[in-house]
């Protein structure tokens, strides 16, 4: 199932091909979700960004232009002024 590398071996033997396929799909789906994270530091202050919210990102690479769930957001004062940083995962909460 899937293609390319890295390969992942399932730990257990499954009694049927259908059960093995469901297990493989679950692993593949979880890996795809884990792989799609985004961290950014914005050039300015964005007070509307809050942890737990969802945002739509546009203007980047096609695989990044999507809805993102913000796992954490920080607003900091540095020598250049107020800046906002965030970490998110692809999809909505």
């Amino acid at each position: 199932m899937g293609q390319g590398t890295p390969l992942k071996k399932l730990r257990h033997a499954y009694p049927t091909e259908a059960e093995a396929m469901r297990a493989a799909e679950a692993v593949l789906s979880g890996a795809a979700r884990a792989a799609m994270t985004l961290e950014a530091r914005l050039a300015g202050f964005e007070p509307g960004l809050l942890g737990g919210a969802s945002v739509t990102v546009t203007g980047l690479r096609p695989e990044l232009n999507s809805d993102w769930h913000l796992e954490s957001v920080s607003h900091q004062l540095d020598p250049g002024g107020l800046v906002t940083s965030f970490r998110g995962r692809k999809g909505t909460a």
Side-chain angles (χ1 to χ4, degrees), residues 30-50:
R33 281 193 305 275
M36 293 303 295
T37 60
L38 177 67
E39 292 189 32
R41 180 182 170 120
L42 305 177
F45 176 57
E46 291 293 334
L49 292 183
L50 302 170

